[in-house]
Amino acid sequence: MTRAKRPRMTGLETALPPLAGHARLLQSLRNATSSRHRALDRRLGLIDPDVLTLDRYRRFVRATSAVVLPLEPPLAAELGYVFVARSAGERAVRLLQNLAALEAEPAPPAPDVPEITDDADAFGAAYVIQGSHLGGEIIARAVTGGLGLGPEHVSYLRLHDGKAGGAWFRFIAALEHFGLSATPSEQVRVVRAAEATFDAFAAALDREGIPRD
């Protein structure tokens, strides 16, 4: 993982409180994205047996493909093992397999995903995607139990084979290490990329017809 040149200070650094290093970065990510995260969780409804249907799950996987397929290559290139589970491109392979099993095509790439130009952008976007695998394992259990689907339908959600927590802590450790030397401007761009990734997921669900609250 290589560090890009430091960007010039742009005034964005004033958007973050004057706290120290990695603690500021992680807490800022949580604070900035918590409402978006809660809204997406409520909206999906995939663990609610009264809402869960095969069509809803199919639309969810298509929406996921719209965001993850264009983001996976630059995130893997920028972050390496911090983002990659076993091999680069594995998320795309599993998503396409799941869509084929669901008799669906991948959605067109979302036009609103953040551009990944360096580690700051990558950590922000990866914060959302890596975190989604924690809930993904819960969704996989609900989907296989509630809809009677097999492993070929949920392999993306089970990317880490029940060990998403370990992958998440590995990512957080790398994020904290980055935060120790990141400039205030870089830290703001991490947050902005995370917000943009959440927003891209929300817009992809819009395009798939999954209603907002």
Side-chain angles (χ1 to χ4, degrees):
M1 179 169 56
T2 58
R3 292 295 304 277
K5 292 181 180 179
R6 300 283 192 191
R8 291 182 296 106
M9 301 297 266
T10 63
L12 291 176
E13 59 274 9
T14 59
L16 289 174
L19 302 177
H22 67 282
R24 175 177 69 181
L25 179 55
L26 182 57
Q27 192 59 50
S28 293
L29 276 167
R30 289 172 173 163
N31 291 344
T33 62
S34 61
S35 61
R36 289 172 168 87
H37 192 173
R38 288 194 301 270
L40 278 181
D41 283 348
R42 289 194 305 269
R43 186 177 182 185
L44 291 177
L46 293 174
I47 61 174
D48 183 347
D50 294 329
V51 175
L52 176 62
T53 64
L54 179 60
D55 181 65
R56 193 179 188 91
Y57 177 63
R58 183 184 292 114
R59 291 171 185 268
F60 160 73
V61 179
R62 274 181 49 86
T64 300
S65 74
V67 177
V68 172
L69 294 185
L71 280 178
E72 182 179 28
L75 293 181
E78 209 52 62
L79 299 180
Y81 81 97
V82 173
F83 181 73
V84 173
R86 280 164 294 270
S87 60
E90 187 174 15
R91 286 174 173 82
V93 169
R94 292 190 176 213
L95 274 170
L96 293 174
Q97 288 174 342
N98 294 168
L99 286 165
L102 291 164
E103 300 182 345
E105 295 292 328
D112 36 14
V113 297
E115 181 181 5
I116 307 302
T117 60
D118 61 14
D119 282 359
D121 301 323
F123 271 112
Y127 173 82
V128 181
I129 294 177
Q130 286 289 83
S132 73
H133 287 292
L134 298 172
E137 293 185 351
I138 298 172
I139 292 173
R141 289 195 294 271
V143 167
T144 54
L147 299 177
L149 300 183
E152 69 275 15
H153 299 94
V154 297
S155 59
Y156 172 77
L157 297 175
R158 290 178 170 161
L159 178 70
H160 296 288
D161 298 328
K163 299 178 181 178
W168 174 247
F169 286 119
R170 182 179 69 189
F171 173 77
I172 289 300
L175 174 70
E176 290 180 342
H177 180 75
F178 174 79
L180 289 172
S181 59
T183 66
S185 180
E186 285 177 313
Q187 293 194 37
V188 171
R189 289 195 300 108
V190 173
V191 172
R192 296 285 172 82
E195 291 175 328
T197 304
F198 270 114
D199 290 344
F201 270 113
L205 293 174
D206 289 341
R207 289 187 287 271
E208 290 302 315
I210 295 180
R212 296 177 183 249
D213 290 344

